[in-house]
Amino acid sequence: MPSPRRNLEGRPLCASAGGGGSSPGSPAHGGGGGRFEFQALLGSRAPGVDGPSARLRASDSPVPRRGSFPLAGAGPCSQAPPAPPPEEARLDLNPSFAAIALRSLLAIDLWLSKKLGVCAGEGSPWGSARPLMKLLEVSGHGIPWLLGALYGLARSDSWAGREVLMNLLFALLLDLLLVALIKGLVRRRRPAHNQMDMFFAVSVDRYSFPSGHATRAALASRFILKHLVLAIPLRVLVVLWALVLGLSRVMLGRHNVTDVAFGFLLGYMQYSIVDYCWLTPHNAPILFVLWNQQ
């Protein structure tokens, strides 16, 4: 004969199949014994906590149970999906072709500049050539060129010579202004292996882009080739001086390759500006009159 089910206190939960009595939790009492048994079990597992509250707290748990799936619109307890991050915090996984090309060019520029900086220090592979490179640096500095133009104006006794030297002075001043303006806007630092032992430096000279020596070399060489009658060997020497001066800026570690390349381009364009705004006694008589009075 099967043994009857018993509750937690050891008493039978229901009568045998042949018994006519009914227990308080039987369906005859309208109770639904299975439900009360389940609530009693929940109450015994968590003393002091009733069954309905335990069920609510279990549903409020942020950790989903294994095998359970969240239902859409399950009520106020359901969590909304997280908001997407702002645009500035997102990782650009698909950069444009221009950005990739610019970063690659910058990496190549830094690598090549470091490789060509063979005279950057005394212990460099070509450290013994630093005095010659620094002599080239002085030859392309702005102060000697400005002093030379002013001295030539003071010693010149012809209108043609004064006109050429006046425009050379104008070109040098324009070069200083544009280079200082671009350096102040870009603010690119000089190479890390550079030694700040230049001939003369001002505030903007701690920046690298563009190379003022390269712009001045391109401007001066084009000016000389245009307005001075020179033999072919001398013209070749002028061009070589400009190229070697630009190369020496990278070898000394003063500039990167792109600084010198853009400097050459800027200097070439500066002469076009000077040639377009060429100063003569007719379009700028005040300058020539003032200079003659001095």
Side-chain angles (χ1 to χ4, degrees):
M1 178 178 181
S3 60
R5 292 182 297 174
R6 298 177 179 271
N7 59 6
L8 294 177
E9 297 178 357
R11 294 192 297 269
L13 294 176
C14 60
S16 61
S22 62
S23 62
S26 63
H29 276 258
R35 182 176 59 190
F36 292 126
E37 293 172 15
F38 182 69
Q39 292 179 359
L41 289 174
L42 289 177
S44 64
R45 292 181 182 178
V49 180
D50 57 345
S53 62
R55 286 196 299 271
L56 288 176
R57 291 179 183 177
S59 63
D60 291 340
S61 175
V63 181
R65 296 190 178 186
R66 184 177 300 177
S68 63
F69 299 92
L71 298 177
C77 297
S78 61
Q79 297 181 356
E87 291 292 338
E88 59 272 10
R90 296 181 184 179
L91 180 63
D92 189 7
L93 299 179
N94 296 316
S96 62
F97 177 77
I100 296 176
L102 184 61
R103 292 173 186 174
S104 302
L105 178 61
L106 181 61
I108 295 174
D109 178 35
L110 296 177
W111 173 81
L112 186 59
S113 302
K114 189 174 182 179
K115 287 293 183 181
L116 293 177
V118 294
C119 302
E122 298 293 342
S124 300
W126 291 11
S128 58
R130 278 179 61 85
L132 178 60
M133 297 293 106
K134 296 184 74 173
L135 181 61
L136 283 171
E137 182 179 58
V138 175
S139 69
H141 203 278
I143 292 181
W145 279 92
L146 287 173
L147 294 178
L150 291 173
Y151 179 78
L153 276 174
R155 300 289 297 178
S156 178
D157 54 356
S158 65
W159 284 97
R162 290 176 184 175
E163 180 179 336
V164 172
L165 291 172
M166 184 73 72
N167 284 275
L168 177 60
L169 183 62
F170 168 63
L172 294 173
L173 293 176
L174 177 65
D175 173 68
L176 291 176
L177 179 62
L178 291 180
V179 170
L181 180 62
I182 297 176
K183 282 186 175 182
L185 292 175
V186 178
R187 295 178 178 269
R188 185 183 188 183
R189 294 291 180 178
R190 290 186 181 269
H193 54 279
N194 171 50
Q195 294 184 3
M196 294 298 294
D197 54 351
M198 293 183 289
F199 169 67
F200 182 78
V202 293
S203 60
V204 295
D205 282 340
R206 65 176 181 269
Y207 300 124
S208 178
F209 185 88
S211 171
H213 283 71
T215 60
R216 198 170 299 111
L219 173 64
S221 60
R222 192 178 178 191
F223 194 98
I224 291 173
L225 294 177
K226 181 70 175 180
H227 297 283
L228 291 182
V229 180
L230 300 174
I232 294 180
L234 293 179
R235 298 174 73 88
V236 172
L237 286 178
V238 170
V239 175
L240 286 178
W241 167 78
L243 294 177
V244 174
L245 178 60
L247 181 61
S248 68
R249 308 306 292 159
V250 182
M251 295 175 65
L252 282 173
R254 308 287 198 223
H255 293 277
N256 297 306
V257 176
T258 52
D259 303 335
V260 176
F262 185 81
F264 282 143
L265 179 62
L266 181 61
Y268 189 88
M269 294 173 60
Q270 282 177 353
Y271 177 78
S272 300
I273 298 175
V274 174
D275 191 34
Y276 181 79
C277 304
W278 188 262
L279 303 178
T280 63
H282 300 285
N283 58 16
I286 299 178
L287 293 177
F288 290 91
V289 169
L290 291 176
W291 188 261
N292 289 332
Q293 290 179 356
Q294 295 177 359

